[in-house]
Amino acid sequence: MQTAKNEIQIVKIGGNIVGDKKRLEAFLLHFAAIKGKKILVHGGGKLATEMAEKLNIPAQMVNGRRITDEPTLDIITMVYGGLVNKKIVAVLQQYNCNALGLSGADINCIRADKRPVTDLDYGFAGDISEVNAKQLIALLEAGISPVLCPITHDKKGQLLNTNADTIASETAIALAEHYKSVLTYCFEKAGVLENVENEDSVITHIDSSKYKQLLNNGIISEGMLPKLHNCFHALENGVDRVCIGNEKMISEQQPTFSLLTL
Amino acid sequence: MQTAKNEIQIVKIGGNIVGDKKRLEAFLLHFAAIKGKKILVHGGGKLATEMAEKLNIPAQMVNGRRITDEPTLDIITMVYGGLVNKKIVAVLQQYNCNALGLSGADINCIRADKRPVTDLDYGFAGDISEVNAKQLIALLEAGISPVLCPITHDKKGQLLNTNADTIASETAIALAEHYKSVLTYCFEKAGVLENVENEDSVITHIDSSKYKQLLNNGIISEGMLPKLHNCFHALENGVDRVCIGNEKMISEQQPTFSLLTL
């Protein structure tokens, strides 16, 4: 995967890659080899859950969603902001990619608002209010590759837990004014599947009309719905194209993946 | 404490300030108010030890020194590189200081060599081989204040645990070619004490001959010896002056502290 001079690649890796040391190292080798400007966004998968269990901090779930109380935020900050982020940066540096680990607080690069309490209090969960494109562009133009962990801040001293998919899409949108912005989601499957149980059923191209058709047919699995929504939100806000697939997308010559365009 | 145009302040805060939320916030408010270029270096004090205890990871001590085995390195990376570093950055951003948290791996800013195994194997402990002054200067000139945690890397993918005092002095030395470099150690005492049990016995000025005299008289306490050695090593390598005292040094009009010069 090559990047033209005026292009920015924003690549998000999912928890199943982050949590698998061998798979992560293979991915990072290929990420480092991407030419041109690039940003990596990572989650932390089950590592935070495992740490919470070790520390006997019970996961607070409401309607299947994790509530970020203060001990949970501390764990996320330790595991995602510290352990995962710094290890990724060290490996990328080994491969001569000039990586710089960032939370949203660092150089105030992603500001968020604490999610308002309605019938549900999500705790220290943050919804992005501003991506600081100017600071990120300055880094990118200096040859630095930001590595973003899924933590933001409110500029009032509070760190906040923020979805990594959303960090990737909002960052891609914020940079789309300055670059041809290409957003890539790497996860455990080869793409958006026609049949969730058949890895060979990757839908290779989804445009707006195909997306509506898929929604109407009820073909897209529940887990995929918010991801696709995120993708089309990005496309509608200036992102050039979105790719969804597994990590082979950035290493193979003729990979299979889903290409999303308007 | 004001900084002239061509001056850089490198301030190191000790574990007793980092571990005390109120004291840390007060310190950060004053650090943020320092005009001009500045770098903060922090340790993590007892927070990593507490976390190791919670996770039932026994501290490996040999001759009173902690050995950094892999689980210990992970804890240090989580606590210093994640929790402590990101919380400090978020608070500084609140006070409009454009802070950026860094380990030595980020933008390859501090490279170290794993300490050679002799009769003792220190594990993943790193001795600094190079501070990347060029990258740090680029950040400083862009109005960014680096916040360094005591973690370095070997540029071969391995993070390493490195003494925060040494990170501060080596960074001050590396920047001394470009700026008038001022190194400040904030810890729990008001300065270098003539009598370790009397807080009013601060030695306000120590130059090379006074230093030799103190060494010969055996006046300096054992804990202070490596710190002073570090300080004079910095002075002998281009650092303009070194200050040792508590955090009031950077907030009070006429603070008491020890000033060290050649």
Side-chain angles (χ1 to χ4, degrees):
Chain A
M1 196 154 71
Q2 286 217 343
T3 308
K5 200 184 167 192
N6 63 339
E7 203 170 278
I8 172 84
Q9 298 265 2
I10 296 101
V11 182
K12 189 256 167 175
I13 42 167
N16 286 322
I17 301 172
V18 171
D20 182 333
K21 201 182 167 185
K22 263 193 156 168
R23 216 166 151 183
L24 178 62
E25 288 228 2
F27 166 84
L28 292 175
L29 182 62
H30 292 294
F31 178 83
I34 295 176
K35 286 178 184 145
K37 297 175 179 66
K38 58 199 173 196
I39 292 177
L40 181 61
V41 182
H42 66 84
K46 292 165 188 163
L47 296 170
T49 313
E50 284 169 19
M51 186 55 65
E53 278 168 13
K54 280 187 198 166
L55 292 168
N56 289 319
I57 293 168
Q60 300 225 37
M61 308 294 284
V62 177
N63 300 338
R65 303 197 70 148
R66 176 189 287 271
I67 305 302
T68 313
D69 57 5
E70 203 174 339
T72 304
L73 180 67
D74 280 358
I75 289 173
I76 285 169
T77 308
M78 290 197 298
V79 176
Y80 299 168
L83 195 61
V84 171
N85 192 267
K86 297 309 161 202
K87 281 191 176 180
I88 287 176
V89 167
V91 172
L92 288 175
Q93 286 288 346
Q94 174 187 16
Y95 299 142
N96 293 315
C97 168
N98 197 11
L100 167 60
L102 296 172
S103 73
D106 296 290
I107 52 168
N108 184 29
C109 69
I110 305 181
R111 221 173 63 193
D113 298 316
K114 188 174 175 296
R115 193 167 300 163
V117 179
T118 51
D119 51 332
L120 188 60
D121 182 358
Y122 284 96
F124 296 104
D127 296 312
I128 295 173
S129 56
E130 195 186 1
V131 176
N132 194 332
K134 196 182 143 198
Q135 291 277 7
L136 290 176
I137 290 166
L139 296 175
L140 291 161
E141 294 295 330
I144 293 168
S145 297
V147 178
L148 295 167
C149 68
I151 297 167
T152 58
H153 78 143
D154 65 359
K155 192 78 168 69
K156 296 169 199 157
Q158 181 63 56
L159 296 167
L160 294 165
N161 180 15
T162 297
N163 179 274
D165 280 4
T166 314
I167 285 185
S169 59
E170 292 298 331
T171 302
I173 290 169
L175 294 173
E177 272 183 42
H178 300 79
Y179 303 110
K180 188 191 252 196
S181 182
V182 180
L183 175 59
T184 299
Y185 286 104
C186 282
F187 74 146
E188 64 275 14
K189 298 199 182 294
V192 182
L193 303 178
E194 193 93 36
N195 172 359
V196 75
E197 282 164 20
N198 180 3
E199 278 279 324
D200 292 330
S201 69
V202 172
I203 310 168
T204 54
H205 187 202
I206 305 174
D207 61 11
S208 307
S209 65
K210 177 80 178 169
Y211 176 44
K212 271 178 209 149
Q213 187 195 320
L214 289 170
L215 283 178
N216 290 337
N217 293 356
I219 270 180
I220 300 166
S221 69
E222 252 182 62
M224 188 51 81
L225 275 176
K227 207 181 259 300
L228 277 187
H229 178 77
N230 229 341
C231 294
F232 275 91
H233 172 70
L235 291 169
E236 283 154 10
N237 286 279
V239 171
D240 186 66
R241 61 186 190 275
V242 181
C243 309
I244 301 181
N246 61 31
E247 75 272 27
K248 288 176 190 159
M249 254 195 304
I250 65 163
S251 60
E252 286 184 357
Q253 286 288 325
Q254 292 185 298
T256 302
F257 62 91
S258 299
L259 172 67
L260 281 63
T261 58
L262 274 188
Chain B
M1 195 154 72
Q2 287 216 344
T3 309
K5 200 183 168 195
N6 63 341
E7 204 168 279
I8 172 84
Q9 298 266 0
I10 296 100
V11 182
K12 189 258 168 174
I13 42 169
N16 286 321
I17 301 172
V18 171
D20 182 332
K21 201 181 166 186
K22 263 192 154 167
R23 215 166 152 183
L24 178 61
E25 289 229 1
F27 166 84
L28 293 175
L29 181 62
H30 292 295
F31 178 82
I34 296 176
K35 286 176 183 145
K37 298 176 179 64
K38 59 200 171 196
I39 292 177
L40 182 60
V41 182
H42 66 83
K46 293 165 188 162
L47 295 171
T49 312
E50 284 169 18
M51 185 57 63
E53 279 170 11
K54 280 186 197 168
L55 291 168
N56 289 320
I57 293 167
Q60 298 224 38
M61 309 293 286
V62 177
N63 301 337
R65 302 197 72 149
R66 175 191 288 273
I67 306 302
T68 312
D69 57 4
E70 204 175 339
T72 304
L73 180 67
D74 280 358
I75 288 173
I76 285 168
T77 309
M78 289 198 297
V79 175
Y80 299 166
L83 195 61
V84 171
N85 192 267
K86 296 310 160 200
K87 280 191 176 181
I88 287 176
V89 167
V91 171
L92 288 175
Q93 286 288 346
Q94 173 187 17
Y95 299 142
N96 293 314
C97 168
N98 197 13
L100 168 60
L102 296 172
S103 73
D106 297 288
I107 54 169
N108 183 29
C109 70
I110 305 179
R111 221 173 63 192
D113 297 316
K114 187 172 177 296
R115 192 167 301 162
V117 178
T118 51
D119 52 332
L120 188 59
D121 182 358
Y122 285 96
F124 296 103
D127 296 313
I128 295 172
S129 57
E130 194 187 2
V131 176
N132 194 332
K134 196 181 143 200
Q135 291 276 8
L136 290 175
I137 289 165
L139 296 175
L140 291 162
E141 293 296 328
I144 292 168
S145 297
V147 177
L148 296 167
C149 68
I151 298 167
T152 57
H153 78 143
D154 65 359
K155 193 78 167 66
K156 296 169 200 159
Q158 182 63 55
L159 297 168
L160 294 165
N161 180 16
T162 297
N163 179 274
D165 280 5
T166 314
I167 285 186
S169 60
E170 292 299 331
T171 302
I173 289 168
L175 294 173
E177 272 182 41
H178 299 80
Y179 304 110
K180 188 190 252 198
S181 183
V182 180
L183 175 60
T184 299
Y185 286 105
C186 281
F187 73 145
E188 65 276 14
K189 299 202 181 290
V192 182
L193 303 178
E194 193 92 40
N195 172 359
V196 76
E197 280 163 23
N198 180 5
E199 277 283 321
D200 293 330
S201 68
V202 171
I203 311 170
T204 53
H205 187 201
I206 305 175
D207 60 11
S208 308
S209 65
K210 177 79 180 170
Y211 176 45
K212 271 178 210 151
Q213 186 195 322
L214 289 170
L215 283 178
N216 290 336
N217 294 354
I219 271 180
I220 299 168
S221 68
E222 252 182 62
M224 186 54 79
L225 276 177
K227 207 180 261 298
L228 277 187
H229 178 77
N230 229 341
C231 294
F232 275 90
H233 172 70
L235 290 169
E236 283 154 11
N237 285 279
V239 172
D240 188 67
R241 60 186 191 276
V242 181
C243 308
I244 301 180
N246 61 30
E247 73 273 27
K248 289 175 188 157
M249 251 194 307
I250 65 163
S251 59
E252 284 185 359
Q253 286 289 325
Q254 292 186 300
T256 303
F257 62 92
S258 298
L259 172 67
L260 281 64
T261 57
L262 275 188

